[in-house]
């Protein structure tokens, strides 16, 4: 699925990997508060459409989020902060699961709530997601 990019948008951050775990185990890791806390950030997430929750982003404080898509065990999307959305897509592959993370909402003309340009933050987070997704892989591989 190609995103139509306007002139001011930056490409979505996408990370895809095949996890050595069945889809229900990966879903529990990406769609429960305990699971998300184990590999990403502490939170008060509830898997309920429209649910508003917070990710505890350390020095950046609590980031407001809202569940916008809930399609167990294949897709979860939530709004994150003022401009972003985060999607977790899961595709069953025998006893393994293809996991794709999509971090969208980047705009060259916008700055975060903390005054940093989207371009600057996107570059930093693109690299950060590599390590975070690796943590997910270790978490579900246990």
């Amino acid at each position: 699925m190609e995103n139509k990019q306007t002139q001011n948008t930056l490409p979505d951050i996408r990370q895809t990997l095949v996890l050595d775990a069945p889809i229900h185990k990966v879903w529990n890791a990406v769609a429960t508060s305990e699971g998300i806390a184990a590999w990403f950030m502490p939170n008060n997430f509830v898997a309920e459409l429209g649910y508003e929750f917070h990710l505890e982003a350390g020095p950046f404080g609590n980031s407001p989020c809202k569940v916008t898509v809930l399609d167990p065990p294949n897709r979860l999307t939530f709004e994150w902060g003022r401009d972003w959305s985060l999607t977790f897509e899961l595709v069953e592959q025998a006893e393994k699961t293809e996991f794709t993370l999509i971090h969208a909402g980047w705009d060259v003309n916008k700055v975060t709530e903390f005054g940093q340009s989207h371009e600057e933050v996107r570059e930093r987070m693109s690299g950060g997601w590599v390590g975070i997704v690796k943590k997910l892989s270790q978490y579900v591989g246990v």
Side-chain angles (χ1 to χ4, degrees):
M1 236 175 3
E2 262 316 292
N3 278 358
K4 291 201 190 279
Q5 299 287 324
T6 66
Q7 251 181 329
N8 298 330
T9 60
L10 297 163
D12 296 346
I13 296 172
R14 295 180 75 92
Q15 296 281 332
T16 300
L17 71 161
V18 176
L19 300 169
D20 194 11
I23 195 167
H24 70 274
K25 187 171 187 181
V26 178
W27 180 255
N28 285 336
V30 302
T32 64
S33 179
E34 301 77 22
I36 294 168
W39 64 275
F40 184 32
M41 288 183 196
N43 63 86
N44 62 340
F45 173 85
V46 173
E48 181 181 301
L49 199 57
Y51 188 80
E52 295 183 15
F53 65 101
H54 287 89
L55 290 172
E56 295 174 27
F60 297 105
N62 288 338
S63 293
C65 301
K66 182 180 179 180
V67 178
T68 56
V69 176
L70 186 64
D71 180 18
N74 300 107
R75 187 178 181 96
L76 167 66
T77 301
F78 56 87
E79 295 171 353
W80 181 17
R82 196 171 53 191
D83 300 314
W84 299 325
S85 72
L86 201 55
T87 298
F88 305 139
E89 290 181 345
L90 285 64
V91 178
E92 193 167 23
Q93 295 185 340
E95 288 302 303
K96 298 180 186 232
T97 306
E98 182 184 85
F99 170 79
T100 301
L101 174 145
I102 304 162
H103 187 170
W106 303 101
D107 187 320
V108 294
N109 295 321
K110 290 186 178 177
V111 295
T112 67
E113 297 90 318
F114 307 101
Q116 299 169 306
S117 76
H118 272 213
E119 210 160 4
E120 175 190 343
V121 175
R122 185 194 176 282
E123 188 159 324
R124 191 168 59 242
M125 294 206 61
S126 185
W129 278 122
V130 174
I132 292 168
V133 169
K134 223 176 262 179
K135 280 177 69 177
L136 170 63
S137 179
Q138 292 164 347
Y139 177 68
V140 299
V142 174

